[in-house]
């Protein structure tokens, strides 16, 4: 396959087509700074976008390194084949009507396959995409406006929505955008391929992704691994977290997880930071560009306003950053710089006593960001006045003091504005030039700080590949509870002693054999509590018989009553085609969906990952002994999760979902009191 570097940094370009889109490509490429030859191709026009046109590809004076194909979808395939035969490095396929339109065009999938076959060893971007903007080399195979400016180093952004990418290039927050690439349908060249190629350019400092879906898990894992090897962080903005974007399934687990939980678990596993808004993406990328990733979420904040200090504290708590208490060294330095009248704390309100005194500002910030405090980032809150109405030379003193603090302490530094417009673009660019992160808007800034900690810059241990949900060959069926528990028990899950019965009298006899108290359940009913198909703590054969007569079921499962419960958990696995098998742990029982206290990991997960997931629950204290109550056998819970994981791996080609709810956690063991399995035969 042709190297993407030739495609991204071409010496000669051809633009095929004569419409307004193709004219825009020619003009944008020149405006972006491309100085090499641009060869428009059109059968009847003599000029396109100010460049002389050629009637066909055979007439070109040389072999292009990159092409923009702006003709209809059928002709696009023919042009790709011709370019490939010529030895072109790669082509942007602008046309739509391929696999993204299969519901409207029956031949969309087949035509896309023809396109890939026609490309051969030549790289194809798209189809159904805008293309590439390379601000490092002045290349814009891009049929629309864009807001990038020439840079020597910067971040790259890859997305699946060309319009979202256009909007990101129009940001005025100082983000140095080195490259923007629209992946389109990813018929041949995936987002992962593009990401690896961009990160291998020494001028690219970090990578941002706008993800609508992951089509190749192994390729995505390879992207994360290569980024770690190169020491370059990745941050992702992924769509699909809303209920409308998730599909419901039989179990509670499926409604709790959906694709969003799988995506978050995958990104976390691979060391890729995740944000939820475009603004957070921009701010996080600025931090990553300057710092390569923060070592911790421990930060210090200084402002000349108590209100700003309080807002930093409140918003920081919501974002997940921490403000460590001041050390003795910090207190001594701050008291020397500020005198006796200022209350010392983190976040710090240094008042206005030292405003206009650059040396005092520097001494204050330097004391606050003392290296011994082991901070991930030092923040100084400052909003610049409107530059169309005021000159603000005293505000420049703050910026210089922040830069001196960075130099003196080695602590990464940022200026943070209350509102996004509080850091004008020119100031943001000056700050970046000084090695300071300009963060626009306090809420986005604090969220970005926390995200930048989750995007490590150094090589880390490569996680084990996720278990792929292999394609099955038949329809899945819901196992009866007895069948599900038998299979779980085979893999080492502890289940209650039980027996099945076909009518009320037989249920009473089975209960007598098991020993009272017992639980009576209607067989083959998914959500028993809601259906009135479970009765607990039956103490006699008569009670069992009466309960069976009143139950909406024709067959029954009789089980020993599990007592001495410490806590009830849900332990579930769902098959997520995009991300693997998602294992979810959380508060179980009838309150599962009401409380929604869960944590998810991908299979295979280590014992340490499962323990960390349990520890992350809001209700984790229930497991460890809340207010003097006994604690649960955490090791037994983890062993149950590992047993379920083994079952999943052994049946990856057939399994759709598993749910144990509740998993009754006791001081000595963990028991699967109810279970559901949906699997192909």
């Amino acid at each position: 396959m042709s190297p993407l570097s030739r495609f991204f940094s071409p010496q000669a370009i051809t633009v095929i087509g004569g419409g307004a889109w193709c004219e825009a490509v020619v003009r944008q490429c020149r405006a972006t700074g491309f100085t090499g030859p641009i060869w428009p191709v059109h059968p009847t026009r003599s000029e396109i976008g100010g460049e002389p046109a050629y009637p066909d590809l055979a007439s070109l004076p040389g072999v292009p390194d990159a092409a923009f194909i702006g003709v209809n979808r059928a002709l696009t395939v023919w042009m790709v084949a011709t370019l490939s035969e010529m030895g072109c490095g790669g082509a942007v396929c602008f046309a739509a009507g391929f696999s993204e339109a299969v519901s409207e065009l029956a031949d969309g999938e087949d035509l896309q396959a023809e396109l890939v076959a026609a490309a051969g060893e030549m790289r194809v971007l798209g189809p159904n995409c805008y293309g590439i903007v390379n601000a490092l080399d002045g290349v814009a195979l891009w049929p629309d406006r864009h807001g990038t400016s020439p840079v020597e180093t910067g971040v790259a952004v890859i997305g699946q929505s060309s319009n979202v990418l256009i909007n990101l290039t129009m940001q005025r927050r100082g983000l140095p955008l080195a490259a923007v690439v629209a992946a389109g349908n990813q018929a041949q060249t995936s987002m992962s391929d593009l990401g690896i190629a961009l990160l291998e350019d020494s001028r690219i400092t970090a990578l941002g992704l706008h993800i609508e879906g992951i089509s190749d898990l192994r390729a995505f894992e390879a992207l994360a691994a290569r980024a770690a090897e190169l020491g370059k962080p990745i941050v992702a903005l992924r769509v699909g977290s809303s209920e409308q974007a998730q599909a419901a399934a039989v179990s509670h687990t499926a409604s709790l997880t959906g694709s969003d939980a799988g995506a978050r678990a995958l990104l976390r596993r691979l060391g890729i930071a995740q944000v939820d808004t475009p603004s957070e993406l921009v701010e996080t990328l600025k931090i990553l560009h300057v710092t390569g990733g923060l070592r911790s979420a421990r930060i210090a904040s200084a402002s000349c306003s108590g209100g700003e200090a309080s807002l930093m504290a409140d918003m920081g708590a919501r974002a997940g950053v921490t403000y460590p208490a001041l050390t003795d060294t910090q207190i001594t330095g701050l008291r020397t710089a500020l005198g006796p009248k200022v209350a010392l704390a983190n976040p710090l309100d240094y008042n206005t006593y030292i405003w206009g005194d650059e040396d005092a500002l520097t001494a204050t910030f330097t004391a606050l960001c003392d290296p011994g405090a082991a901070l991930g980032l030092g923040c100084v809150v400052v909003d610049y006045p409107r530059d169309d109405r005021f000159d603000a030379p005293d505000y420049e003193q703050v910026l210089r003091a922040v830069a001196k603090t960075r130099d003196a302490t080695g602590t990464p530094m940022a200026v943070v504005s209350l509102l996004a417009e509080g850091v004008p673009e020119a100031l943001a660019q000056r700050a970046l030039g000084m090695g300071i992160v300009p963060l626009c808007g306090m809420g986005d800034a604090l969220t970005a700080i926390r995200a930048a900690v989750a995007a490590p810059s150094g090589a880390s241990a490569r996680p084990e590949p996720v278990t792929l949900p292999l394609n099955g060959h038949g329809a899945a069926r819901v196992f009866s509870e007895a069948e599900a528990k038998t299979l779980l028990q085979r893999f080492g899950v502890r289940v209650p002693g039980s027996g099945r019965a076909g009518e009320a009298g037989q249920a009473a006899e089975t209960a007598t054999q098991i020993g009272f108290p017992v639980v009576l359940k209607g067989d083959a009913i998914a959500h028993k509590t809601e259906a009135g198909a479970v009765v607990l703590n039956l103490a006699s054969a008569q009670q069992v018989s009466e309960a069976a007569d009143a139950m909406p079921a024709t067959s029954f499962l009789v089980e020993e009553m599990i007592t001495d419960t410490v806590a009830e958990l849900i332990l579930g696995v769902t098959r997520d085609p995009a991300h693997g098998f998602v294992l979810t742990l959380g508060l179980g029982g009838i309150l599962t969906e009401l409380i929604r206290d869960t944590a998810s990991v991908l299979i295979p997960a280590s014992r340490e990952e499962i323990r960390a997931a349990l520890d992350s629950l809001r209700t984790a204290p229930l497991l460890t002994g809340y207010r003097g109550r006994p604690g649960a056998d955490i090791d037994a819970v983890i062993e149950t999760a590992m047993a379920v994981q083994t079952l999943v791996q052994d049946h990856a080609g057939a399994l759709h979902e598993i749910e144990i709810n509740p998993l009754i956690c006791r001081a000595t063991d963990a028991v699967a009191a109810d279970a559901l399995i949906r699997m192909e035969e």
Side-chain angles (χ1 to χ4, degrees):
M1 195 71 67
S2 297
L4 281 165
S5 56
R6 180 186 173 200
F7 185 24
F8 288 161
S9 303
Q11 300 301 305
I13 291 169
T14 184
V15 178
I16 303 169
W21 298 108
C22 292
E23 287 223 21
V25 172
V26 175
R27 296 189 186 281
Q28 284 293 325
C29 207
R30 286 292 184 225
T32 302
F34 187 70
T35 57
I38 301 177
W39 301 320
V41 173
H42 193 274
T44 60
R45 294 184 59 177
S46 61
E47 174 270 336
I48 294 174
E51 299 287 338
Y54 296 83
D56 50 42
L57 289 172
S59 304
L60 297 184
V63 177
D65 298 297
F68 182 91
I69 304 175
V71 297
N72 66 59
R73 64 190 191 114
L75 189 54
T76 293
V77 176
W78 189 85
M79 289 295 180
V80 163
T82 305
L83 287 165
S84 180
E85 291 172 4
M86 294 174 62
C88 181
V92 174
C93 296
F94 179 58
F98 293 86
S99 66
E100 86 287 352
V102 290
S103 59
E104 294 85 16
L105 298 170
D107 66 341
E109 197 76 56
D110 292 339
L111 195 63
Q112 182 158 304
E114 291 177 27
L115 178 74
V116 173
E121 294 299 307
M122 184 184 75
R123 287 289 185 175
V124 168
L125 187 60
N128 183 36
C129 78
Y130 267 27
I132 305 165
V133 178
N134 176 355
L136 298 165
D137 300 314
V139 178
L141 295 174
W142 193 262
D144 206 333
R145 297 176 179 87
H146 64 81
T148 65
S149 300
V151 295
E152 294 183 359
T153 64
V155 304
V157 178
I158 306 171
Q160 291 171 268
S161 167
S162 300
N163 206 56
V164 168
L165 291 173
I166 288 176
N167 295 336
L168 287 173
T169 72
M170 300 297 175
Q171 56 81 32
R172 300 180 184 181
R173 300 179 176 217
L175 177 67
L177 275 170
V180 175
V181 183
N185 291 5
Q186 304 179 74
Q188 178 217 63
T189 303
S190 70
M191 180 178 285
S192 302
D193 297 330
L194 297 166
I196 290 172
L198 289 166
L199 290 174
E200 288 179 343
D201 187 323
S202 61
R203 301 168 295 177
I204 301 289
T205 56
L207 178 64
L209 302 175
H210 172 240
I211 303 172
E212 295 178 7
I214 296 171
S215 58
D216 187 337
L217 274 171
R218 291 290 178 256
F220 202 74
E221 289 173 329
L223 168 62
R226 186 62 180 139
E229 291 168 358
L230 293 168
K232 295 185 179 182
I234 304 175
V235 57
L237 169 62
R238 186 194 171 278
V239 299
S241 62
S242 63
E243 291 184 7
Q244 291 84 349
Q246 299 177 17
V250 173
S251 72
H252 293 288
T253 309
S255 66
L256 287 166
T257 59
S259 61
D260 184 55
R264 290 182 183 277
L266 177 67
L267 295 173
R268 184 170 59 249
R269 181 189 189 93
L270 297 180
I272 296 174
Q274 184 171 2
V275 293
D276 296 317
T277 70
S279 294
E280 292 168 6
L281 178 66
V282 170
E283 299 307 313
T284 305
L285 282 170
K286 282 191 285 187
I287 298 173
L288 299 180
H289 171 71
V290 174
T291 70
L294 302 179
R295 62 181 176 177
S296 78
R298 291 165 51 89
I299 70 172
S301 172
S303 65
C304 64
S305 159
E308 289 173 339
S310 297
L311 284 169
M312 283 290 283
D314 289 350
M315 298 169 104
R318 289 194 293 271
V321 305
T322 59
Y323 298 94
L326 298 176
T327 66
D328 290 342
T329 302
Q330 287 172 297
I331 290 171
T332 300
L334 288 169
R335 186 59 69 205
T336 300
L338 294 172
K341 296 182 180 180
V342 175
L344 303 183
N346 182 22
L348 173 69
D349 166 19
Y350 61 83
N351 286 264
T352 55
Y353 299 119
I354 60 172
W355 188 260
D357 185 339
E358 188 171 324
D359 290 340
L361 289 167
T362 302
T364 298
F365 303 157
T366 300
L368 180 63
C369 297
D370 179 76
L375 299 171
L377 187 69
C379 299
V380 174
V381 180
V382 58
D383 280 66
Y384 273 59
R386 292 180 56 139
D387 55 9
D388 60 340
R389 298 184 184 179
F390 306 99
D391 292 324
D394 46 346
Y395 284 75
E396 291 297 306
Q397 294 178 331
V398 177
L399 187 62
R400 291 194 295 268
V402 172
K404 291 175 182 177
T405 298
R406 195 276 323 277
D407 293 341
T409 66
T411 301
M413 297 296 295
V415 289
V416 178
S417 62
L418 177 65
L419 300 176
E421 54 268 33
V423 177
E425 185 174 22
L427 170 68
Q429 291 170 338
R430 284 204 307 279
L432 285 168
M434 300 165 74
I436 299 167
V437 187
L439 295 175
C440 303
M442 194 176 285
D444 290 338
L446 289 163
T447 301
I449 291 168
R450 185 67 189 87
V453 179
S457 59
S460 57
R462 186 169 181 171
E464 188 175 349
V466 300
T467 300
L468 295 178
L470 305 174
N471 292 327
H473 302 288
R477 72 175 179 88
V478 178
F479 284 28
S480 69
E481 183 179 348
E483 288 178 300
K485 286 181 174 175
T486 297
L487 183 56
L488 288 166
Q489 189 174 34
R490 191 182 306 159
F491 282 83
V493 176
R494 162 87 159 91
V495 300
S498 64
R500 300 179 73 176
E503 46 84 24
Q506 189 179 2
E509 293 176 7
T510 302
T512 302
Q513 294 170 3
I514 292 172
F516 298 101
V518 297
V519 178
L520 181 69
K521 300 177 179 180
D523 203 10
I525 298 176
H527 299 306
K528 296 178 178 61
T529 300
E530 292 90 332
V534 59
V535 181
L536 306 176
N537 209 30
L538 297 171
S540 68
Q542 182 178 350
Q543 289 182 357
V544 171
S545 181
E546 291 173 352
D549 286 336
M551 192 172 287
T554 57
S555 61
F556 306 94
L557 183 66
V558 186
E559 292 184 337
E560 66 172 305
M561 179 74 187
I562 304 299
T563 57
D564 301 321
T565 300
V566 172
E568 292 186 350
L569 294 181
I570 182 172
L571 194 166
V573 176
T574 54
R575 175 194 189 115
D576 185 338
H579 310 111
F581 287 98
V582 185
L583 188 154
T584 297
L585 293 155
L587 180 68
I590 62 174
L591 300 178
T592 294
E593 289 182 311
L594 179 63
I595 303 300
R596 288 183 174 264
D597 180 21
T598 61
S600 296
V601 295
L602 293 182
I603 292 175
S606 66
R607 285 175 169 79
E608 291 72 23
E609 287 175 300
I610 293 170
R611 187 181 296 273
L614 290 168
D615 290 343
S616 72
L617 299 174
R618 298 192 307 275
T619 48
L622 293 176
L623 295 171
T624 56
Y626 183 63
R627 292 195 171 184
R629 296 178 60 188
D633 185 345
I634 301 295
D635 289 333
V637 176
I638 294 172
E639 287 302 323
T640 302
M642 298 302 291
V644 169
Q645 179 169 269
T646 302
L647 189 162
V648 172
Q649 291 174 306
D650 283 4
H651 295 277
L655 184 72
H656 286 241
E657 58 185 311
I658 297 175
E659 179 174 285
I660 299 172
N661 186 26
L663 177 69
I664 296 180
C665 305
R666 304 194 294 182
T668 56
D669 61 9
V671 185
D674 197 359
L676 177 151
I677 292 178
R678 190 161 64 93
M679 190 164 68
E680 299 168 23
E681 295 294 348

